[in-house]
Amino acid sequence: MKKIFPNATEALDGLLRDDMLIAAGGFGLCGIPELLLAAIRDSGVKNLTFASNNAGVDDFGIGILLQTRQVRKMMSSYVGENDEFMRQYLSGELEIEFNPQGTLAERMRAGGCGIPGFYTKTGVGTQVAEGKEHKEFDGETYIMEKGIFADLSIVKAWKADETGNAIFRKTARNFNPPAAMCGKVCVMEVEEIVPLGTLDPDHIHLPGIYVHRLIQGEHEKRIEQRTVRKKETA
Amino acid sequence: MPWDRNQMAERAAQELEDGMYVNLGIGIPTLVANYVGDKDITLQSENGMLGMGPFPFEGDEDPDLINAGKQTITELRRTAYFDSAQSFGMIRGGKIAAAILGAMEVSEKGDLANWMIPGKLVKGMGGAMDLVAGVGRVIVVMDHTNKHGDSKLLKECTLPLTGKGVVDLIITNLGVLEVSHKGLHIVECAPDVTRDDIHAATEATIV
């Protein structure tokens, strides 16, 4: 079982092709697979669809793939912080499918669990429900949403052992576990690969069964909205 | 005197009860945290955290610790982290007692519009549709009228909906209104604001 690769480019070798669906972890710029995104940009692969809660900012996160026009479609819940995204979206170069955030997370989780569809109250009576199957359960109306089955998952964790058992740190966990679960192949980048036996088996957030390839690297971990309070007012 | 932003937040905080798990939206709702006093309230941040603490002191910012508005925050002794699927699982599962959020329009039936204006740049609904569909009680905090002086409390929303029949209580600068089967019901007026003032500023049916 050799999951560890020397770098992002080699970890993605043979996995990338035009027109593929990639599920990416992260929320805003927090917990994004920044090394793998850079390697995907460098590969030149095109017409990508990304299932990702956000689209990064102009020069970080998925934003770097928008600069190079490698993305055709986004499946996201909120894309507010990216000027280039907005330009391509308004000019019709980029397609967007807005998903309520919980629907997007559950679609990934469901896909990873082999569940092709599920019913939810979220979005009933809104644009999101248009064209979707409606069904009543005990007098309440629900709409059907489909599981996401991605060609590739790219995620970022804090630490993992060589089998891919991973732990995340604070709110950097976010979409990473559901994104990891829903891909045919999952490549994970971590800040540190630790020796077997280091991680407490009771504390694993994502079991290694979901992780096929693993790299360790240096992360920039950029802060999107630095907000602080003054010591005096505490 | 109508309420200002802080007074609206203070009034909204009165709706919270000891032991509640609550989700606060961006803007005035965020200020509600300043007014919970001694009540034992646990704040949820839908990007995967229960027990959200205040903003960090300068130098203590952690890129791995942000709220749903992508701002740096801190954790508390009670904090728990989880992934987005579980986070919205607890929202959709009705485990969050209340959500306090802003709005562009609310109808007399409790319909809520707060995510898009046709013809303008649409950024997305984020977690708003999940929250209003799933939590126990939806409390809207917003100005009573828009910048043109038009009522934001309408018979029917004109903007695309975030949720249908989801709002329970509306707190505006003029007062507090409850959504009932027949229309809106005035619960309280801001100081020196009369019921007539609220009627005059409201397009929706007040019963």
Side-chain angles (χ1 to χ4, degrees):
Chain A
M1 185 167 56
K2 285 289 286 178
K3 293 188 179 179
I4 301 174
F5 285 70
N7 56 53
T9 301
E10 289 183 53
L12 290 167
D13 185 45
L15 300 181
L16 298 176
R17 57 174 174 76
D18 291 351
D19 306 304
M20 72 191 305
L21 169 59
I22 302 177
F27 180 92
L29 301 182
C30 181
I32 58 172
E34 53 182 89
L35 306 174
L36 292 162
L37 286 169
I40 290 172
R41 176 198 55 199
D42 296 343
S43 78
V45 68
K46 290 189 305 289
N47 276 328
L48 300 173
T49 296
F50 269 93
S52 168
N53 189 54
N54 310 96
V57 293
D58 280 323
D59 63 341
F60 201 58
I62 290 174
I64 62 171
L65 296 165
L66 295 167
Q67 302 257 351
T68 49
R69 313 286 170 88
Q70 288 168 272
V71 183
R72 181 180 64 78
K73 180 179 174 183
M74 291 296 306
M75 301 159 75
S76 305
S77 86
Y78 192 81
V79 294
E81 287 91 4
N82 193 317
D83 293 337
E84 176 63 17
F85 180 97
M86 285 301 173
R87 197 198 61 70
Q88 290 184 24
Y89 172 41
L90 291 172
S91 70
E93 293 164 61
L94 183 67
E95 186 186 340
I96 171 132
E97 175 193 294
F98 280 118
N99 284 249
Q101 195 173 140
T103 294
L104 184 63
E106 187 64 15
R107 289 184 66 192
M108 290 182 182
R109 196 197 71 86
C113 296
I115 298 169
F118 59 91
Y119 293 94
T120 178
K121 273 196 289 189
T122 298
V124 171
T126 76
Q127 285 184 2
V128 164
E130 287 169 16
K132 289 176 184 160
E133 183 199 329
H134 287 59
K135 194 174 168 102
E136 280 205 8
F137 294 87
D138 297 325
E140 287 255 26
T141 305
Y142 296 77
I143 53 173
M144 193 187 76
E145 296 282 2
K146 291 179 176 171
I148 291 174
F149 299 87
D151 299 306
L152 171 68
S153 299
I154 55 169
V155 297
K156 190 255 169 188
W158 182 31
K159 295 179 181 180
D161 66 23
E162 66 188 55
T163 73
N165 289 323
I167 58 172
F168 300 86
R169 189 169 171 275
K170 303 183 189 288
T171 56
R173 194 180 322 181
N174 57 57
F175 274 85
N176 282 297
M181 290 165 67
C182 76
K184 287 193 194 89
V185 182
C186 172
V187 185
M188 174 183 277
E189 59 182 66
V190 298
E191 293 175 46
E192 189 183 359
I193 296 173
V194 298
L196 282 177
T198 310
L199 302 175
D200 183 337
D202 271 332
H203 293 175
I204 301 297
H205 297 142
L206 184 73
I209 190 169
Y210 296 109
V211 180
H212 303 95
R213 298 184 183 187
L214 186 62
I215 58 162
Q216 173 183 309
E218 289 291 321
H219 290 80
E220 177 183 337
K221 299 215 285 184
R222 194 184 294 186
I223 292 177
E224 197 164 343
Q225 305 276 350
R226 188 178 299 273
T227 313
V228 297
R229 64 189 154 133
K230 292 235 173 1
K231 283 235 159 86
E232 302 86 78
T233 60
Chain B
M1 279 283 286
W3 285 318
D4 64 19
R5 290 164 56 89
N6 284 300
Q7 289 164 327
M8 288 158 71
E10 188 173 8
R11 180 59 187 80
Q14 288 176 23
E15 297 298 319
L16 304 181
E17 291 164 28
D18 213 41
M20 274 187 171
Y21 290 86
V22 178
N23 184 291
L24 302 179
I26 292 165
I28 300 175
T30 305
L31 302 174
V32 174
N34 300 334
Y35 298 102
V36 296
D38 293 338
K39 281 183 278 199
D40 186 26
I41 303 293
T42 303
L43 297 179
Q44 197 231 23
S45 189
E46 66 264 28
N47 53 318
M49 177 183 201
L50 277 168
M52 179 167 55
F55 296 131
F57 292 122
E58 198 161 356
D60 292 344
E61 309 94 303
D62 184 337
D64 289 338
L65 183 46
I66 63 170
N67 64 18
K70 283 111 184 175
Q71 297 170 306
T72 45
I73 47 161
T74 55
E75 65 187 18
L76 304 171
R77 283 154 58 99
R78 70 173 59 186
T79 296
Y81 298 111
F82 33 85
D83 69 55
S84 300
Q86 181 162 20
S87 183
F88 283 93
M90 66 183 71
I91 289 168
R92 292 159 171 239
K95 314 300 177 188
I96 303 291
I100 303 179
L101 67 176
M104 298 192 276
E105 295 177 348
V106 179
S107 85
E108 63 193 42
K109 299 178 199 73
D111 299 347
L112 170 72
N114 75 350
W115 80 282
M116 76 173 285
I117 301 174
K120 291 210 174 174
L121 217 50
V122 182
K123 294 181 172 183
M125 70 290 282
M129 286 191 182
D130 307 282
L131 281 160
V132 299
V135 303
R137 196 153 180 255
V138 173
I139 301 168
V140 165
V141 182
M142 65 176 188
D143 283 328
H144 208 95
T145 54
N146 64 23
K147 58 178 181 249
H148 307 296
D150 302 325
S151 176
K152 293 173 70 172
L153 289 71
L154 304 170
K155 292 189 191 306
E156 294 280 350
C157 291
T158 64
L159 298 170
L161 297 184
T162 308
K164 203 169 172 59
V166 294
V167 177
D168 297 289
L169 193 75
I170 309 160
I171 297 170
T172 77
N173 51 324
L174 299 185
V176 181
L177 296 97
E178 199 170 36
V179 180
S180 74
H181 296 305
K182 294 173 189 158
L184 304 179
H185 165 71
I186 300 175
V187 176
E188 187 180 332
C189 301
D192 301 326
V193 173
T194 65
R195 296 176 69 89
D196 286 345
D197 293 335
I198 292 181
H199 273 273
T202 307
E203 193 227 74
T205 308
I206 297 178
V207 294

